[in-house]
């Protein structure tokens, strides 16, 4: 192979790898919303999970707020029921990743199941659950 062909093939390979990885990353990105705080609650609009008329149904979102150092994840567990779990690792406080129904700590390798229970250490404590309440249009998370 001559030099020119080598360079062309190398450039095409680099572009393909960069494009492919950006597609994979976008597939795994979870929707993040910024909640507002009201009387000790974070408030999230129910429409963040998709409207009844929408084809897009979302079962979990990341909730960020100025009052939280590490965000939490809010699951829609039923027609009108919700569960909120901290994304803060109980070992050293690192933000967890949520993928394939598991919470994973990229710093030290702890793994938690979908319910936030420790599957693999070094973490020894389960993840914090937040109480949730709802109104007709919002979900309220007690912080």
């Amino acid at each position: 192979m001559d030099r020119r062909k080598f360079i062309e093939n190398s450039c095409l390979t680099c572009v393909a790898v960069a494009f492919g990885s950006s597609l994979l990353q976008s597939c795994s990105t979870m929707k993040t919303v910024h909640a507002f705080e009201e009387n000790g609650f974070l408030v999230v609009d129910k429409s963040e999970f998709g409207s009844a008329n929408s084809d897009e149904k979302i079962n979990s979102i990341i909730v960020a707020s100025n009052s939280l150092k590490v965000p939490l994840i809010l699951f829609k567990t039923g027609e009108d029921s919700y569960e909120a779990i901290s994304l803060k690792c109980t070992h050293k406080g690192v933000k967890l990743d949520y993928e394939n129904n598991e919470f994973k700590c990229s710093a030290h390798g702890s793994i938690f199941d979908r319910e936030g229970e420790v599957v693999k250490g070094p973490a020894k404590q389960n993840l914090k659950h937040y109480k949730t309440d709802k109104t007709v249009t919002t979900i309220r998370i007690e912080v």
Side-chain angles (χ1 to χ4, degrees), residues 33 35-49 61 63 65 67-68 72-76 80-85 129-143:
V33 298
F36 69 90
E37 198 166 346
E38 180 181 87
N39 299 325
F41 290 88
L42 297 179
V43 181
V44 177
D45 198 284
K46 288 182 181 178
S47 66
E48 297 292 351
F49 285 96
I61 56 176
V63 178
S65 169
S67 64
L68 296 174
L72 56 87
I73 188 167
L74 182 63
F75 293 102
K76 183 171 184 174
D80 198 29
S81 58
Y82 304 89
E83 179 182 18
I85 301 175
H129 286 244
Y130 293 88
K131 289 183 182 178
T132 60
D133 190 9
K134 58 192 178 294
T135 67
V136 173
T137 58
T138 65
I139 303 133
R140 297 166 19 106
I141 305 161
E142 188 175 338
V143 292

Side-chain angles (χ1 to χ4, degrees), residues 96-104 111-114 119:
L96 299 168
D97 297 315
Y98 182 74
E99 189 175 294
N100 299 323
N101 289 323
E102 287 185 327
F103 298 92
K104 297 179 182 177
I111 298 175
F112 304 83
D113 67 14
R114 159 59 184 81
V119 172

